[in-house]
Amino acid sequence: MSDVQVRIAALNVYPIKSCAGIALDETLLVETGFEFDRAWMVVDAEGRFVTQRELPRMALVKPTLKHEEMVLRAPGMLALHLSLNAVEAPCRVTVWRDEVAAYDMGDLAVQWFSDFLGQKLRLVRFDPEQKRLSNRQWTGEIEAENAFSDGYPVLVASQAALDELNQRLAAAGHAAVTMARFRPNLVIDGIESHGEDHLDEIEFNAGRVRLKLVKPCPRCPIPDIDPATAERGHAVGDMLLTYRADPRVDGAITFGMNAVILAGIEQPLRVGLAGDATYRFD
């Protein structure tokens, strides 16, 4: 039984954690979320993940997915071509509190990222044999697998939420921002602003794909980094502070909902697809 019909307004993957995303017309659901999403990650000399929080210029690294390779471009750099089917030495890396198995992507990637970001860094790829699970406090009995995402397979946001933010920013004399600030995988139309906060499940393809929204997404400083210039600001965070404190996460500022996959592995999703959603009453 459906409470509201939604439509897929945009699909995004972020192949390298904290680097630029790719807007897609169609994507495939895999165990860890959208195919290739956060499959790679930049790490420091100790193998610990780095993000735009410390290195805002990561926003300027733009990946493109080709048939058999990922091509990386950044200002002032020659393009780096990486095979989708090749990795180098196995390694252990840390993302938040999790130490996981990964594969190094080699010396060329070391040189490229170190040159562009100004410190010794490596690029690694998630080991598909590794099981990194979402927090069971929020997923309950569901074992939700992740690659290098912050903690959940799919991030869902409504177009209406961005529209409201931009209306508030305009009223305060600030420029509009794009959804790239918030790095969602799935952007939906058909609900009111932040209506995703109250959704339970979304179904697509007559129930062959089922996503359960489990946790509000607390926001760090990244939405205040301009994805086009990598410059830091504070207007977005300041504005969200005025109306987006969420008691479900101890008053943290939230935008979007983290979701887990109940059904749909190896199923496609495409922009424009209609789906049915149910509300949660708790």
Side-chain angles (χ1 to χ4, degrees), residues 141-161:
E141 295 302 306
I142 303 160
E143 283 202 347
E145 293 187 43
N146 305 277
F148 290 133
S149 65
D150 275 354
Y152 296 86
V154 179
L155 179 59
V156 180
S158 62
Q159 180 60 42

Side-chain angles (χ1 to χ4, degrees), residues 3-241:
D3 292 324
V4 62
Q5 189 169 80
V6 298
R7 186 187 69 88
I8 297 178
L11 297 167
N12 303 296
V13 295
Y14 307 86
I16 304 173
K17 183 178 183 68
S18 226
C19 293
I22 303 172
L24 300 174
D25 293 326
E26 186 169 306
T27 190
L28 196 68
L29 267 185
V30 297
E31 284 80 3
T32 55
F34 288 4
E35 187 177 32
F36 298 121
D37 189 56
R38 277 82 170 195
W40 291 266
M41 182 170 75
V42 182
V43 299
D44 64 16
E46 284 73 49
R48 182 162 184 80
F49 79 117
V50 296
T51 72
Q52 289 181 39
R53 296 169 186 86
E54 311 85 46
L55 299 171
R57 275 166 60 82
M58 290 180 74
L60 304 179
V61 175
K62 299 192 185 315
T64 306
L65 292 170
K66 307 282 190 182
H67 179 57
E68 293 186 343
E69 65 178 7
M70 177 170 64
V71 182
L72 305 183
R73 293 181 173 84
M77 301 291 291
L78 295 173
L80 176 65
H81 294 252
L82 297 170
S83 171
L84 294 179
N85 303 310
V87 292
E88 296 202 11
C91 57
R92 304 286 298 177
V93 297
T94 305
V95 52
W96 295 111
R97 296 179 183 176
D98 300 328
E99 183 184 303
V100 297
Y103 290 96
D104 194 273
M105 292 302 295
D107 290 343
L108 274 178
V110 169
Q111 191 69 53
W112 198 90
F113 276 95
S114 302
D115 286 351
F116 184 63
L117 295 172
Q119 66 185 68
K120 188 66 178 287
L121 298 165
R122 292 187 294 142
L123 183 68
V124 298
R125 186 167 185 177
F126 191 79
D127 182 346
E129 297 301 312
Q130 172 78 50
K131 271 204 170 187
R132 179 175 173 247
L133 300 180
S134 297
N135 188 338
R136 297 292 279 271
Q137 175 189 343
W138 293 95
T139 67
E141 295 302 306
I142 303 160
E143 283 202 347
E145 293 187 43
N146 305 277
F148 290 133
S149 65
D150 275 354
Y152 296 86
V154 179
L155 179 59
V156 180
S158 62
Q159 180 60 42
L162 181 70
D163 294 344
E164 180 187 1
L165 171 62
N166 279 328
Q167 287 166 8
R168 289 172 178 260
L169 287 171
H174 298 296
V177 298
T178 67
M179 192 64 94
R181 300 265 185 154
F182 297 97
R183 304 175 67 78
N185 299 111
L186 174 63
V187 182
I188 53 175
D189 272 333
I191 55 175
E192 63 189 15
S193 175
H194 297 290
E196 65 271 30
D197 288 354
H198 310 293
L199 295 183
D200 181 29
E201 290 185 23
I202 308 175
E203 291 188 355
F204 297 102
N205 292 331
R208 288 192 292 275
V209 173
R210 289 173 56 217
L211 303 176
K212 184 174 182 66
L213 284 69
V214 295
K215 185 192 178 190
C217 184
R219 288 301 170 168
C220 65
I222 288 180
D224 269 317
I225 297 171
D226 186 335
T229 65
E231 292 176 2
R232 294 183 190 270
H234 55 82
V236 172
D238 288 352
M239 185 58 70
L240 291 174
L241 202 57

